[in-house]
Amino acid sequence: MSIPTLLAHVGINTPRNVTVDGRIVLDGAHAVSQPVTRIEPHRFHGGEDPSPVRSEYQSAWWNTDPAGRQRDVEAMRAAFPTFTLVDDEGEYFYFGEINTGRGVFPVAVFPQVNKSLPSVRTTRRLGRQEGTRWKKPPHLYTSDALCVAGASDWDPERHSTATAVAWAAHWFAAYTEWRMRGFWPTDGYGEVA
């Protein structure tokens, strides 16, 4: 039991704050030199997912092409064995972490129903502070998915989900450089860049 929980049992509400480095602190328990932001009241809850039904996934390539799916699974297992496959109820996507050596980035990679370029997303807020404003990085789609390659770069006969993860690792390496120096160091890699 935490101290705030214990105090709440006797009717004392202890405000909570978060420091700039992500530590949760009680009101008055932080160093004056470090700014804090008050955490607004909220409750965690569960329940049904409000997302739309994904019935179109039943006819997706990973559910209709067992050999293609197996090739994709084997490619991910060989290249990124720590990534986890989610494949229940017609879903098919991977999640894991990319460690650039300058940061660890959680990612989810969603193959497309029509075999086009997979969508790569992170749960991290991407960007950098520039003066008083937050600037999003270049090479993001308006949906905030990473633009890891052009649609014409993707060849579903040659590429796999592992290809998209590798491109995402390259994207994050460029991103960390952009975060530190303010410029995006590359437009890509190889002949298509």
Side-chain angles (χ1 to χ4, degrees), residues 49-57 91:
D49 185 352
S51 300
V53 177
R54 298 177 186 229
S55 58
E56 68 272 12
Y57 283 7
E91 286 276 9

Side-chain angles (χ1 to χ4, degrees), residues 37-174:
T37 301
R38 184 180 172 105
I39 299 174
E40 295 297 322
H42 65 281
R43 292 189 185 274
F44 295 113
H45 63 279
E48 290 186 16
D49 185 352
S51 300
V53 177
R54 298 177 186 229
S55 58
E56 68 272 12
Y57 283 7
Q58 297 305 320
S59 62
W61 68 267
W62 56 83
N63 291 321
T64 61
D65 179 6
R69 177 189 172 107
Q70 188 59 34
R71 283 190 302 275
D72 196 66
V73 168
E74 289 171 3
M76 278 298 291
R77 193 175 296 138
F80 301 101
T82 61
F83 272 64
T84 301
L85 170 62
V86 175
D87 66 349
D88 54 311
E89 298 185 22
E91 286 276 9
Y92 182 79
F93 67 92
Y94 286 87
F95 68 91
E97 292 181 334
I98 293 174
N99 183 346
T100 66
R102 292 182 174 172
V104 177
F105 301 92
V107 296
V109 184
F110 299 90
Q112 302 298 342
V113 173
N114 63 358
K115 289 192 174 185
S116 61
L117 179 66
S119 176
V120 181
R121 298 182 171 280
T122 183
T123 56
R124 296 257 314 255
R125 180 178 181 216
L126 298 173
R128 60 178 276 168
Q129 194 71 38
E130 291 189 355
T132 59
R133 70 182 194 98
W134 184 258
K135 182 177 180 179
K136 285 187 174 186
H139 307 292
L140 280 182
Y141 291 114
T142 56
S143 65
D144 287 339
L146 312 184
C147 181
V148 298
S152 63
D153 298 335
W154 179 256
D155 180 353
E157 300 307 314
R158 289 185 21 236
H159 298 142
S160 68
T161 303
T163 307
V165 174
W167 287 346
H170 187 221
W171 191 97
F172 279 113

